[in-house]
Each structure stands twice: as structure tokens, then as C-alpha cells.
Amino acid sequence: MNETPDTRQLLSTRIEQKQQAVRSYLGRERPRRNRLSNVSIVGSALAAMLTAGPAFGGTGFTQALQGVFSLNDDSVVWRVLCLGAVLLSVAAALATNFANSHSIADRVSAAETANAQLEGLRDTLSFGHIDTNDALKLYQQYVAQVAFVDEVASR
């Protein structure tokens, strides 16, 4: 490859475009990863809390809840606690499995790493501290790590 200012500029532009695509991806996927993680954690914790009351307090606990909510039958308390625990457990399991099946956390980490690598490469290229051929090879390596990131459409 010829070492010309135009070639360096073209590679620099491609790096910036890929960085823009990676930043856009991260802007969408970080909040999604966080939401799924929070649903999993909170759902699991609340399901455990709903089952802990009767487990530790026994019938005294359910009778106390029956009195607080003025229920005629303590079986209603048991059914509500069990149903709540089941629903929260299912929500937590779905969130965990959805995040894992799509490898969201791994992909976000890979995109963050590639973004930092591309930033360093762009700076090194712009200051002329790297040969264009070497920069192109590094660019190709970094981009291969985030092949799942689509290019941003031109505006």
C-alpha cells in the first residue's frame, strides 16, 4: 500500500466510522444489559423474600398477614406468596437466559475493548507513529472482534 496522506486519511475515516458504529451499539446494548441484569437480580431477591417469610415464620407469619389484610382464609396468603415467587422467579430466569443466549455482556465487553483499541490506533495513525500497512492490519484485527456491530448509515 502506498504511504500517502490520502491513504492515511482514508484509513482514519474508516476508523472513525467504525468507532461511531461501536459507540451506537454500546449506546443501545449497555442499557439493555443493565436492565436484564437488574431484572434478574431483583426478581431473584424478591422471590427469595416471598418464600423466606413462611419458611422462617411458619403459620404464625401467614396468620399475621391474614390478619393485616383482613383475609378470611390463610390459604389465600399462601397462594399469593407462591404465585408472586413463581412470577418473579420466571422473570429472573427469563432475563438471565435472554442475556446469556444473546451473549450481551460478552459483546458489550468486546465492543468496549475494540472502541478503546480503535481510539488508540486513530491517535497513533494521526500522529504518524505507525506505518499505514501496520495500521491497516491492526484495524482489521480490531474490527474482526466486533463483526456483530453493523455500520452506521451515512447521514
Side-chain angles (χ1 to χ4, degrees), residues 31-95:
R32 182 174 174 211
R33 175 200 59 190
N34 294 342
R35 276 191 308 274
L36 290 171
S37 179
N38 288 341
V39 167
S40 179
I41 292 167
V42 171
S44 297
L46 290 176
M49 287 174 41
L50 288 176
T51 58
F56 293 117
T59 56
F61 175 80
T62 56
Q63 288 171 350
L65 284 179
Q66 179 185 359
V68 167
F69 294 109
S70 302
L71 300 171
N72 294 333
D73 188 5
D74 73 339
S75 69
V76 174
V77 173
W78 285 98
R79 286 186 294 205
V80 169
L81 290 174
C82 289
L83 179 62
V86 165
L87 293 175
L88 290 167
S89 293
V90 167
L94 287 172

